[in-house]
Amino acid sequence: MAQQAKFNPRAPAKTKGFKDTDMQVVIGWILRTGVILSMVIVVIGGVLFVYRHGNSIPDYRVFKGVPYFIQNVKGIANGVFNLKGQAIIQAGIVLLIATPVIRVAFSAIGFILEKDYLYTFITLLVLLIIIISMLTGRIG
């Protein structure tokens, strides 16, 4: 007698190829991970900043803008390695801003795997516009 395969509704379906639902799951994890990780980084930076500068009294008569060392990537990286609270906060904010850009990049990869060339083209065009806007500092 031949054995029949038992039906298990919880078992993943064995289908070939990359499906739209697979892409949605991956993108969901990317967005959740990016937001949670950036939140944790900002909180760590805030705790370090308050620990070091919590007792200082600000002088509101003099405007002090954003420190120079957190205005570029090299300064942020150097500040993070030196455990400067403001640089760590800035790194968390940069990660939060980068999360949707990473999502667009993974969407393009998903569309390539699905062999959906129209959406691949549109997504790569959107990614190109985002990158050009970030590099040139121009909008529209």
Side-chain angles (χ1 to χ4, degrees), residues 30-140:
I30 289 169
L31 292 174
R32 275 190 294 274
T33 304
V35 169
I36 291 170
L37 189 61
S38 65
M39 179 185 67
V40 169
I41 291 171
V42 168
V43 168
I44 290 170
V47 168
L48 281 172
F49 182 77
V50 170
Y51 177 75
R52 291 188 180 153
H53 302 286
N55 293 329
S56 63
I57 300 172
D59 183 13
Y60 292 116
R61 293 175 288 176
V62 178
F63 176 74
K64 293 181 181 177
V66 178
Y68 180 72
F69 73 92
I70 60 172
Q71 292 182 1
N72 57 38
V73 177
K74 185 178 178 183
I76 293 171
N78 190 24
V80 168
F81 288 125
N82 291 322
L83 296 177
K84 293 187 176 183
Q86 287 177 312
I88 295 172
I89 293 170
Q90 192 78 350
I93 293 170
V94 168
L95 177 62
L96 184 65
I97 293 169
T99 299
V101 178
I102 295 168
R103 179 222 187 271
V104 172
F106 272 90
S107 294
I109 293 169
F111 290 134
I112 290 169
L113 293 174
E114 288 181 349
K115 297 182 182 4
D116 191 343
Y117 300 114
L118 176 63
Y119 282 111
T120 300
F121 173 74
I122 293 169
T123 306
L124 289 175
L125 183 65
V126 169
L127 189 61
L128 181 67
I129 291 169
I130 290 171
I131 290 171
I132 289 172
S133 297
M134 286 184 343
L135 294 177
T136 62
R138 298 180 189 263
I139 299 173

